[in-house]
Amino acid sequence: MSEPALDLVVEKKETIADGVALLTLRRTDGADLPDWEPGAHVDLVLTGDLTRQYSLCGDPAERALWRIAVLRDPGGRGGSAHVHDVLAEGDTLVVRGPRNHFPLVPAPGYVFVAGGIGITPLLPMLAAADAAGADWRLVYGGRSRSSMAFGDLAEHHPDRAELRPQDETGLLDLAGILDAAGGRAVYCCGPEALIEAVEQECARRDRTVHVERFAQKPAATDGPQDAFEIELAGSGAVVAVPAGRSVIDALDDAGVTVLSSCREGTCGTCETGVLDGVPDHRDSLLTPEEQAANDTMMVCVSRSRSPRLVLDL
């Protein structure tokens, strides 16, 4: 499985908040970039073995450029450090995508809850909701004002966007935010602790929340590691997946390459169609409804509940 890869040049790199770099990317040949919709992200191939996903935070109507914002993560795996310390204006890198597992559903109103760099995928959603005439509200929390990128949102939308720096106002009042949400669709992106808390509050109210994660759900990949088989629909070949070995590694051992990136079930790069059998979903990306459909799976982390899976490969 593959998808188009683009050679993009870093036209501009600027610091927009403490530890946050904003990159403006253009095609090296000057042509327009692919269409995208709010919630989309791309893969930045930073080195041969270092690929990371970042949300597009610009305007989809600006076809000539893409913008992404990257938070330096001192405890990360090297991607953000590379962007901040190595990547420079004028550099060229390979970018794959865009893909979107966090789409903005049509609704008369929205409540957006952002934490830190989680504001990035929500920015285009705010503009889209505004253009559609929807009733929306943003509550944006962060450690401090200086660490909150795009903090001027509250100035541009004083009646709709609220900044809540933790060192000034404490933790977000999620119960109050959701009690006031009414029938609006709820969107959330940010640290895992925030997402979990919003999910819990929404569950208490029996309502849906749309989220995007930067890391695995706690214990997402726990469970049996039994052996099973993969059948490739295109050739009829059967690949054994040994106990404790991932589907994607077993496929690679058999000479079948599936594009991958995070290896944590969060980015969607390795999403593969399931034609028969029952996957054991261990990703942190698909909604419960999407998992229950059993027509796709993330082969980097998910396994099988049936003796054999037939994959669309």
Side-chain angles (χ1 to χ4, degrees):
M1 179 182 292
S2 63
E3 62 182 9
L6 303 171
D7 291 325
L8 302 189
V9 63
V10 181
E11 180 181 83
K12 190 174 183 180
K13 177 182 175 182
E14 55 189 314
T15 299
I16 58 171
D18 291 346
V20 180
L22 179 67
L23 304 182
T24 300
L25 307 173
R26 290 183 182 271
R27 287 184 61 150
T28 56
D29 61 8
D32 281 350
L33 290 160
D35 290 331
W36 62 280
E37 295 182 350
H41 70 267
V42 294
D43 292 348
L44 265 60
V45 183
L46 301 171
T47 67
D49 57 359
L50 189 63
T51 300
R52 295 293 182 267
Q53 297 74 42
Y54 299 105
S55 298
L56 293 170
C57 61
D59 180 354
E62 290 185 295
R63 295 293 309 282
L65 59 86
W66 283 344
R67 289 190 175 91
I68 62 171
V70 181
L71 171 69
R72 178 191 290 276
D73 181 2
R77 297 174 294 153
S80 66
H82 185 97
V83 170
H84 278 261
D85 300 336
V86 179
L87 200 62
E89 290 183 357
D91 286 352
T92 299
L93 70 165
V94 173
V95 180
R96 296 195 301 252
R99 68 181 70 91
N100 196 347
H101 291 277
F102 190 43
L104 184 67
V105 300
Y110 304 90
V111 170
F112 300 101
V113 182
I117 200 63
I119 187 64
T120 52
L122 302 183
L123 284 174
M125 296 186 183
L126 304 182
D130 216 36
D135 173 24
W136 64 268
R137 179 191 180 198
L138 167 71
V139 182
Y140 176 18
R143 296 189 312 277
S144 63
R145 286 185 186 274
S146 63
S147 71
M148 298 171 71
F150 310 106
D152 58 352
L153 281 166
E155 299 173 15
H156 297 309
H157 304 282
D159 298 328
R160 294 188 171 188
E162 181 181 0
L163 264 63
R164 303 286 292 180
Q166 186 176 343
D167 61 352
E168 297 177 24
T169 61
L171 296 174
L172 297 180
D173 176 17
L174 297 179
I177 293 169
L178 294 172
D179 284 342
R184 301 180 183 94
V186 179
Y187 276 75
C188 177
C189 187
E192 180 60 29
L194 173 66
I195 292 176
E196 278 194 76
V198 171
E199 286 179 329
Q200 291 169 6
E201 290 292 341
C202 285
R204 293 189 186 103
R205 292 161 176 77
D206 193 26
R207 64 179 305 160
T208 300
V209 56
H210 305 269
V211 306
E212 184 168 56
R213 284 180 154 85
F214 300 134
Q216 289 178 325
K217 295 178 183 178
T221 56
D222 291 353
Q225 297 288 324
D226 298 337
F228 56 97
E229 292 180 335
I230 295 294
E231 180 180 333
L232 310 182
S235 65
V238 176
V239 176
V241 181
R245 191 136 179 87
S246 70
V247 173
I248 199 167
D249 286 339
L251 290 170
D252 189 59
D253 293 342
V256 180
T257 300
V258 176
L259 196 64
S260 66
S261 178
C262 73
R263 296 282 180 138
E264 293 184 338
T266 60
C267 74
T269 305
C270 71
E271 184 173 7
T272 302
V274 178
L275 303 181
D276 195 22
V278 182
D280 180 2
H281 296 287
R282 302 185 184 185
D283 66 274
S284 301
L285 182 62
L286 298 175
T287 66
E289 293 78 15
E290 289 169 336
Q291 290 185 345
N294 287 327
D295 56 6
T296 189
M297 69 183 289
M298 306 303 160
V299 294
C300 65
V301 292
S302 296
R303 301 189 67 78
S304 181
R305 297 184 183 277
S306 52
R308 178 178 291 191
L309 288 175
V310 180
L311 299 186
D312 188 16
L313 291 173

